[in-house]
């Protein structure tokens, strides 16, 4: 009977507070894959996913040491059901080297846990898998095993893989992705960062004519984290990290330092939370919160969704009911119910919308709003309810959707 919106203000959210608590717990000790030191981290991550209400699966796999002894590890996968069969995968490795690994990569998996918590009650058109990968430091074994065991159906339905790795101590926060159209998520993150006044960079173009040196295009990255095997399968990827591109070793693709003042930090005794907070607190906390904030807002920006529900006493009338959807005063779609009283539209771009009933029926939209336009809720969902109104047969026109 009324137009209903569900306001959920991003301005009331804080980003990074939960993640820093996760980092504090996870980085108390090293988390070396295949050893007892990683067991507490595995239990903690699984428990945090379950606290959010997610189904959790442990994917067990083996990988070889140099002496051919097989080591057992596990990926921890939380599943969020969406409204269609497509999926986005968000991943971060939770193992470390012999350091405590606060930055590499308790920071990434802690951001993963926080974003999972913030999205748990939001309806999305696609499924999301949150994956904490094991054995990244020893050869990307966890992500390689996961991709190797994806079915062709799952690969074709995977819209994107998002990687989060070492987002604390670098001079700047960076986002990378594929070259061309497959880099759409990176491009959207950068666009949203401008609107939100958040500092994030992408990689420069680095081209070498030497055969023993590596070249990349602007916005891309080298093959040194869990995005690699997704990219090899043709799945679009995005990758968050904090680092510096001021001095790159063109033979390896690695920066010679991530932080100009304090050096690499990761893979060293410096990679513990006390050292980081005592020396680089403001920058590190900003990188952490900005990464989570941009990831959250960009995911929701892709979720502009319109739901039209027509409530009529005679359901057989549904097949005669059609609506024109205008975007910036141009018709972009003619909508019909196809046997259901609900019409759902996903991924609407920004702009001004008008929904117009195009055939004469006895349906009328009752709108109590004073203004011509209103904002959709931050999760992008707008519900329009039509109802039977007796003795009303003229075409009804509602000019009232503004997607921001």
């Amino acid at each position: 009977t009324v137009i209903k919106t569900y306001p959920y203000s991003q301005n009331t959210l804080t980003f990074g507070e939960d993640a820093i608590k996760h980092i504090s717990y996870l980085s108390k000790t090293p988390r070396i894959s295949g050893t007892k030191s990683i067991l507490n981290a595995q239990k903690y991550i699984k428990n945090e996913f379950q606290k959010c209400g997610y189904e959790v699966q442990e994917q067990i796999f083996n990988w070889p040491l140099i002496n051919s002894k097989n080591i057992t590890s596990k990926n921890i996968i939380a599943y969020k059901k969406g409204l269609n069969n497509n999926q986005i995968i968000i991943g971060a490795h939770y193992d470390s080297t012999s350091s405590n690994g606060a930055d590499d990569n308790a920071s990434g998996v802690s951001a993963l846990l926080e974003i999972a918590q913030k999205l748990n009650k939001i309806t999305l058109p696609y499924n999301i898998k949150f994956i904490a990968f094991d054995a990244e430091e020893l050869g990307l074994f966890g992500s390689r095993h996961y991709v190797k065991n994806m079915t062709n159906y799952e690969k074709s339905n995977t819209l994107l893989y998002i990687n989060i790795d070492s987002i604390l101590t670098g001079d700047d926060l960076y986002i990378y992705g594929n070259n061309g159209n497959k880099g759409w998520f990176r491009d959207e993150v950068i666009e949203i960062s401008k609107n939100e006044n958040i500092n994030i960079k992408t990689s420069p173009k680095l081209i070498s004519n030497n055969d023993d040196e590596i070249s990349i295009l602007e916005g891309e990255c080298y093959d040194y984290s869990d995005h690699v095997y997704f990219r090899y399968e043709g799945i679009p990827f995005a990758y968050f990290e904090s680092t510096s591109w001021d001095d790159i070793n063109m033979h390896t693709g690695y920066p010679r330092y991530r932080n100009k003042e304090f050096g690499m930090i990761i893979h060293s005794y410096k990679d513990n939370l006390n050292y980081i907070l005592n020396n680089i607190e403001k920058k590190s906390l900003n990188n952490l919160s900005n990464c989570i904030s941009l990831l959250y807002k960009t995911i929701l920006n892709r979720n502009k969704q319109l739901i039209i529900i027509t409530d009529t006493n005679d359901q057989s009338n549904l097949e005669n009911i059609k609506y024109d959807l205008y975007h910036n005063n141009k018709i972009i779609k003619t909508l019909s119910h196809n046997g259901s009283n609900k019409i759902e539209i996903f991924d609407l771009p920004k702009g001004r919308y008008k929904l117009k009933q195009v055939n004469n029926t006895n349906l009328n939209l009752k709108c109590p709003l004073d203004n011509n336009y209103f904002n959709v809720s931050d999760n992008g969902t707008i519900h329009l309810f039509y109802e039977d109104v007796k003795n009303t047969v003229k075409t009804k026109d509602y000019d009232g959707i503004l997607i921001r």
Side-chain angles (χ1 to χ4, degrees):
T1 303
V2 297
I3 294 180
K4 222 176 207 183
T5 60
Y6 299 92
Y8 185 77
S9 175
Q10 292 175 4
N11 294 328
T12 64
L13 291 178
T14 57
F15 297 95
E17 290 185 0
D18 290 333
I20 200 68
K21 295 174 185 176
H22 297 318
I23 294 171
S24 178
Y25 180 87
L26 290 168
S27 64
K28 289 179 180 177
T29 62
R31 304 171 305 282
I32 301 173
S33 188
T35 71
K36 292 182 179 179
S37 66
I38 204 167
L39 298 180
N40 282 337
Q42 291 171 342
K43 293 176 184 177
Y44 180 85
I45 294 165
K46 180 179 180 179
N47 183 59
E48 290 299 312
F49 280 143
Q50 289 175 331
K51 282 164 61 176
C52 295
Y54 293 120
E55 300 175 21
V56 180
Q57 171 194 359
E58 295 181 343
Q59 185 185 46
I60 308 299
F61 63 95
N62 295 318
W63 52 272
L65 286 174
I66 295 175
N67 62 8
S68 298
K69 178 183 178 182
N70 281 342
I71 300 297
T72 299
S73 297
K74 65 175 69 171
N75 297 326
I76 303 168
I77 305 167
Y79 179 74
K80 176 179 174 59
K81 177 65 178 172
L83 296 176
N84 61 41
N85 293 326
N86 292 325
Q87 71 175 8
I88 286 177
I89 300 173
I90 309 175
H93 76 89
Y94 65 94
D95 62 308
S96 74
T97 61
S98 57
S99 71
N100 285 25
D103 190 3
D104 188 13
N105 187 34
S107 67
V109 77
S110 296
L112 180 74
L113 292 173
E114 181 168 326
I115 200 71
Q117 186 275 326
K118 281 182 163 56
L119 292 176
N120 71 336
K121 296 188 182 301
I122 296 178
T123 301
L124 296 171
Y126 39 76
N127 307 316
I128 293 187
K129 282 184 178 177
F130 305 96
I131 307 182
F133 289 115
D134 199 351
E136 188 267 359
E137 296 290 359
L138 299 165
L140 312 179
F141 290 117
S143 55
R144 182 172 70 174
H145 178 82
Y146 180 85
V147 173
K148 182 180 178 181
N149 285 276
M150 293 175 76
T151 64
N152 289 334
Y153 177 81
E154 183 183 5
K155 291 175 186 175
S156 65
N157 285 338
T158 301
L159 304 173
L160 176 72
Y161 171 69
I162 301 171
N163 193 56
I164 315 171
D165 194 348
S166 305
I167 54 172
L168 280 183
T169 62
D171 283 335
D172 291 288
L173 184 65
Y174 283 80
I175 176 74
Y176 320 121
N178 304 80
N179 184 40
N181 291 335
K182 283 188 175 182
W184 58 267
F185 194 85
R186 173 202 58 222
D187 297 342
E188 288 194 10
V189 167
I190 292 172
E191 184 65 27
I192 288 175
S193 74
K194 295 174 183 176
N195 296 334
E196 298 287 331
N197 197 27
I198 294 175
N199 181 48
I200 191 169
K201 296 182 178 180
T202 194
S203 58
K205 180 179 179 179
L206 296 175
I207 302 298
S208 174
N209 295 322
N210 297 329
D211 292 339
D212 61 344
E213 293 185 338
I214 303 172
S215 298
I216 65 164
L217 298 176
E218 181 181 0
E220 292 187 318
C221 63
Y222 299 108
D223 290 345
Y224 48 63
S225 191
D226 284 314
H227 66 287
V228 170
Y229 290 101
F230 292 93
R231 185 175 73 82
Y232 288 172
E233 290 296 327
I235 296 170
F237 79 91
Y239 175 7
F240 289 91
E241 75 166 346
S242 64
T243 187
S244 171
W245 281 76
D246 290 344
D247 189 3
I248 298 294
N249 183 333
M250 296 290 287
H251 295 283
T252 65
Y254 284 96
R256 290 187 170 86
Y257 60 82
R258 288 176 175 255
N259 185 291
K260 190 169 185 178
E261 182 177 358
F262 296 98
M264 284 299 288
I265 298 179
I266 67 169
H267 298 186
S268 76
Y269 73 92
K270 299 176 184 178
D271 194 2
N272 70 80
L273 193 56
N274 286 336
Y275 181 92
I276 292 168
L277 294 182
N278 287 334
N279 292 280
I280 329 169
E281 179 177 15
K282 183 176 180 180
K283 183 182 293 292
S284 295
L285 295 182
N286 281 342
N287 286 341
L288 179 68
S289 63
N290 287 341
C291 175
I292 299 168
S293 174
L294 287 172
L295 177 54
Y296 176 83
K297 292 172 182 177
T298 308
I299 287 174
L300 294 193
N301 188 59
R302 293 291 298 176
N303 186 31
K304 301 303 185 184
Q305 175 183 347
L306 173 67
I307 298 177
I308 305 167
I309 298 176
T310 303
D311 184 12
T312 174
N313 292 328
D314 187 353
Q315 294 294 302
S316 64
N317 287 334
L318 287 174
E319 63 186 38
N320 299 318
I321 299 168
K322 297 183 186 299
Y323 308 103
D324 281 341
L325 181 63
Y326 293 76
H327 179 221
N328 295 336
N329 295 320
K330 293 182 181 180
I331 296 177
I332 59 171
K333 288 184 180 180
T334 297
L335 310 171
S336 58
H337 280 283
N338 295 323
S340 169
N341 74 330
K342 181 187 292 187
I343 300 172
E344 296 178 295
I345 309 161
F346 302 113
D347 291 339
L348 291 173
K350 298 176 182 179
R352 180 174 293 182
Y353 287 80
K354 178 169 69 175
L355 187 69
K356 183 175 181 180
Q357 186 182 317
V358 297
N359 51 337
N360 291 333
T361 70
N362 64 339
L363 293 173
N364 183 29
L365 176 64
K366 288 188 173 180
C367 177
L369 300 179
D370 295 329
N371 300 321
N372 287 333
Y373 300 99
F374 61 90
N375 297 333
V376 294
S377 56
D378 285 342
N379 67 351
T381 302
I382 210 169
H383 290 74
L384 304 184
F385 291 89
Y386 284 73
E387 67 169 1
D388 286 342
V389 178
K390 293 181 180 179
N391 302 320
T392 302
V393 294
K394 63 181 180 180
T395 299
K396 294 297 172 182
D397 190 346
Y398 175 63
D399 192 3
I401 307 172
L402 181 62
I403 305 287
R404 283 184 173 176

